[in-house]
Amino acid sequence: MAEEVAKLVVGDQTFEFPVLHGTVGPDVIDIRSLYAKTGMFTYDPGFTSTAACDSSITYIDGDKGELMYRGYPIEQLAEKSNYLEVCYLLLYGELPNAWQLNDFKDRVTRHTMVHEQIHYFFRGFRRDAHPMAVVCGVVGAMAAFYHDSIDISDAQQREIASIRMIAKIPTIVAMAYKYSVGQPFVYPRNDLDYSSNFLRMCFSVPAEEYVVNPVIARALDLIFTLHADHEQNASTSTVRLAGSSDANPFACIAAGVACLWGPAHGGANEAALNMLREIGTVDRIPEFIAKAKDKNSGVRLMGFGHRVYKNYDPRAKVMQDTAKEVLALMGVENNPTLQVAQELEKIALSDPYFIERKLYPNVDFYSGIILDAIGFPTSMFTAIFALSRTVGWIAQWKEMIADPQKKIGRPRQLYDGAVTRDYKPLIDRE
């Protein structure tokens, strides 16, 4: 069977390029030889039509509202699995057997403590620093503390670095929270599961025992699972681009944290909660809805719709019931923000304006509600997102490092600046 090709006609010349087929999803045109053949580049701001790599980790079909990790639908994993099992799946490509899962959990659990000197590193930050600024700095600084896992050419060191990042990121994020509220750091405990350990490190104090509520722990584990990876998004692409230069893994993950901090990316759930607080009370919702429908008002409805999912966000379907369970547990009677969220959800799911435009509540809407109900300030939302996404970044980074086609990232440009000007001495310039 002849190789399928795409033809590009430029003037009176025709150029052929191979068409590549994945296991599912759109075919891609291999244009690696484009410049050599034509002397031209492609122009694609935002890389929205460019496949920068091939990957077997995560697949998204935005039109159908599908998200799969290693071929498993996210709905199945959310219902039947847990975050650490999903971490294993993303890292190694298959679900673990009982022995593999216990071994993996043990390795993660025994790496949760951070180097004691890192405690002093935190003291260099202001108490009112945004947690993401702190997390970004501390993650990048890990390369200064763990010299035995920064040689990316050594598979064993890559594995150690991967386990360390997954294990230590909850401790680092919890420390950032504790530092911001002026409370002492809480050491991790090996007898608690991943999400329970994180909750304890965030909310326990030395003066009394902290008992983790299993409903809250499960809800948080679900948030971690649903945010674990999301294909070649901005922060993942940043991690890959940094890694393409052979930077150490901690620097690459810090780059991902920095990118995720942007309000157009990881700050969406924080923006959704801020919107609910701006609305204030249930009686003000009609006024806000009217402004959101008016294109000239400048008011945006945050937490509804999604750039990738043209249908319902599959993660939101999973989070919807969990949000109701958490709200029922925590109570919304004395929380106007959560009352607004519940009423706004009802309107969005019944109003033809939102249904026709497929502006359904997305995962940011529900995760923001849950995190707020648990007691996290909005400044912590993106840091918790970074915690969740760390395993996805690591899986993508490991895949890239092992790829024989790996090259340093070097995007091109369409230059539209000045051309060939003569330098004039300062005295001759008007």
Side-chain angles (χ1 to χ4, degrees):
M1 183 177 177
E3 180 186 64
E4 186 177 355
V5 297
K7 295 182 179 181
L8 173 66
V9 179
V10 182
D12 58 356
Q13 291 185 294
T14 300
F15 305 93
E16 293 187 347
F17 302 93
V19 175
L20 307 180
H21 308 279
T23 52
V24 66
D27 297 334
V28 300
I29 303 171
D30 184 350
I31 59 167
R32 283 175 288 185
S33 61
L34 178 69
Y35 181 65
K37 288 180 178 179
T38 69
M40 297 181 182
F41 300 137
T42 57
Y43 184 69
D44 183 23
F47 309 113
T48 54
S49 297
T50 299
C53 65
D54 45 27
S55 178
S56 61
I57 299 172
T58 301
Y59 174 73
I60 296 171
D61 187 324
D63 293 329
K64 294 180 179 178
E66 294 179 348
L67 169 63
M68 294 188 290
Y69 295 164
R70 300 287 191 180
Y72 291 94
I74 191 63
E75 295 89 346
Q76 290 185 23
L77 295 172
E79 179 186 353
K80 301 175 182 179
S81 187
N82 59 71
Y83 182 65
L84 281 187
E85 186 176 62
V86 167
C87 287
Y88 187 100
L89 173 66
L90 290 172
L91 287 173
Y92 305 115
E94 299 291 343
L95 287 171
N97 60 33
W99 183 90
Q100 289 169 330
L101 182 58
N102 287 333
D103 174 69
F104 181 69
K105 286 181 176 178
D106 186 67
R107 284 188 289 149
V108 170
T109 299
R110 298 189 182 282
H111 277 91
T112 50
M113 287 182 63
V114 297
H115 195 290
E116 195 67 16
Q117 287 295 113
I118 290 180
H119 289 228
Y120 299 103
F121 188 71
F122 271 84
R123 295 178 184 176
F125 296 102
R126 287 172 51 123
R127 291 278 180 180
D128 60 355
H130 195 287
M132 282 295 279
V134 177
V135 172
C136 186
V138 174
V139 169
M142 287 177 69
F145 292 91
Y146 302 104
H147 301 149
D148 61 343
S149 54
I150 59 175
D151 181 358
I152 66 165
S153 64
D154 186 328
Q156 181 63 21
Q157 290 200 31
R158 295 200 300 269
E159 178 68 11
I160 294 171
S162 301
I163 296 297
R164 277 179 171 156
M165 275 305 319
I166 295 168
K168 297 181 191 305
I169 191 66
T171 309
I172 291 170
V173 172
M175 291 173 73
Y177 172 65
K178 283 297 195 183
Y179 190 77
S180 71
V181 296
Q183 293 181 1
F185 297 137
V186 177
Y187 287 90
R189 269 180 33 182
N190 290 354
D191 61 327
L192 294 175
D193 63 63
Y194 195 83
S195 57
S196 297
N197 209 3
F198 177 66
L199 286 166
R200 180 181 173 275
M201 287 190 290
C202 286
F203 296 121
S204 69
V205 293
E208 60 188 28
E209 186 62 28
Y210 177 80
V211 179
V212 179
N213 187 303
V215 173
I216 300 301
R218 173 57 185 159
L220 193 60
D221 189 88
L222 196 58
I223 288 175
F224 292 166
T225 297
L226 297 176
H227 288 87
D229 196 49
H230 210 235
E231 214 197 69
Q232 306 308 315
N233 54 76
S235 57
T236 299
S237 298
T238 299
V239 170
R240 280 182 172 265
L241 190 60
S244 75
S245 72
D246 293 343
N248 74 73
F250 305 115
C252 296
I253 302 305
V257 173
C259 181
L260 189 71
W261 192 3
H265 188 9
N269 50 11
E270 184 175 345
L273 247 293
N274 288 335
M275 176 197 72
L276 296 176
R277 286 175 177 157
E278 182 183 338
I279 295 173
T281 54
V282 171
D283 61 290
R284 294 187 59 195
I285 291 178
E287 176 189 352
F288 185 86
I289 292 291
K291 289 180 179 178
K293 293 178 179 180
D294 182 0
K295 294 181 180 180
N296 299 318
S297 70
V299 173
R300 290 184 60 197
L301 193 63
M302 306 302 295
F304 291 80
H306 196 279
R307 180 183 176 184
V308 172
Y309 299 108
K310 306 308 177 187
N311 207 314
Y312 204 95
D313 182 344
R315 300 168 299 171
K317 292 180 182 179
V318 176
M319 289 301 299
Q320 187 178 36
D321 291 338
T322 302
K324 291 178 180 177
E325 189 177 8
V326 171
L327 294 184
L329 175 69
M330 307 303 290
V332 299
E333 296 81 7
N334 300 315
N335 191 323
T337 302
L338 299 181
Q339 291 172 1
V340 169
Q342 284 187 325
E343 184 62 25
L344 193 59
E345 178 197 31
K346 290 179 185 176
I347 293 172
L349 294 176
S350 60
D351 189 321
Y353 177 89
F354 296 102
I355 296 172
E356 291 168 7
R357 290 163 177 78
K358 298 182 179 180
L359 293 175
Y360 303 110
N362 60 32
V363 71
D364 300 309
F365 180 80
Y366 290 117
S367 62
I369 291 171
I370 291 172
L371 293 175
D372 183 69
I374 291 173
F376 286 106
T378 53
S379 61
M380 278 292 293
F381 289 5
T382 315
I384 292 171
F385 191 166
L387 187 169
S388 312
R389 184 57 56 83
T390 293
V391 66
W393 290 332
I394 292 169
Q396 299 274 352
W397 171 80
K398 288 182 71 178
E399 182 181 63
M400 180 202 65
I401 294 297
D403 187 351
Q405 299 184 95
K406 171 182 167 291
K407 291 184 178 181
I408 186 170
R410 180 61 171 85
R412 299 294 192 163
Q413 67 177 13
L414 176 65
Y415 178 72
D416 57 5
V419 180
T420 317
R421 298 195 286 185
D422 291 327
Y423 180 85
K424 291 183 180 180
L426 182 61
I427 195 172
D428 294 332
R429 297 176 211 163
E430 295 181 357

